[in-house]
Amino acid sequence: MKIRSHSESHIVELDDGSRWQIFPGDLNLTLDWKPETELAVVPIEDEVSSHALVGDDGMVRAIPAGESWPVREVKSALKDG
């Protein structure tokens, strides 16, 4: 899928209409994304996210927009780097 909108650094909307929140520790990986960037949404088993957005430059962890991050797990993941 291609990116429809990425006007906020932590939210990306794909051309299928789905909206995703990017994990705070992965935001730097989205800086080079352009509308023509191809991404696949893949379910993952991770302590902080339910999905990954996977492209040629790697993957970022994500949850559906509007959902809340598990605070304790996010703090731990960010602290551990």
Side-chain angles (χ1 to χ4, degrees), residues 2-75:
K2 294 188 187 247
I3 296 171
R4 178 183 293 169
S5 172
H6 189 211
S7 57
E8 296 179 67
S9 62
H10 67 291
I11 300 285
V12 64
E13 181 177 355
L14 301 178
D15 61 5
D16 68 349
S18 62
R19 298 181 73 230
W20 299 92
Q21 292 183 79
I22 306 301
F23 179 68
D26 294 344
L27 288 175
N28 62 319
L29 302 173
T30 70
L31 296 176
D32 292 329
W33 284 2
K34 306 206 176 348
E36 60 273 7
T37 299
E38 287 280 345
L39 297 171
V41 179
V42 179
I44 61 171
E45 291 188 28
D46 184 80
E47 63 183 24
V48 296
S49 64
S50 58
H51 291 78
L53 303 180
V54 181
D56 289 339
D57 295 330
M59 69 166 236
V60 298
R61 293 165 284 183
I63 59 174
E67 288 190 9
S68 298
W69 294 103
V71 175
R72 181 172 297 160
E73 289 83 353
V74 168
K75 285 182 180 180

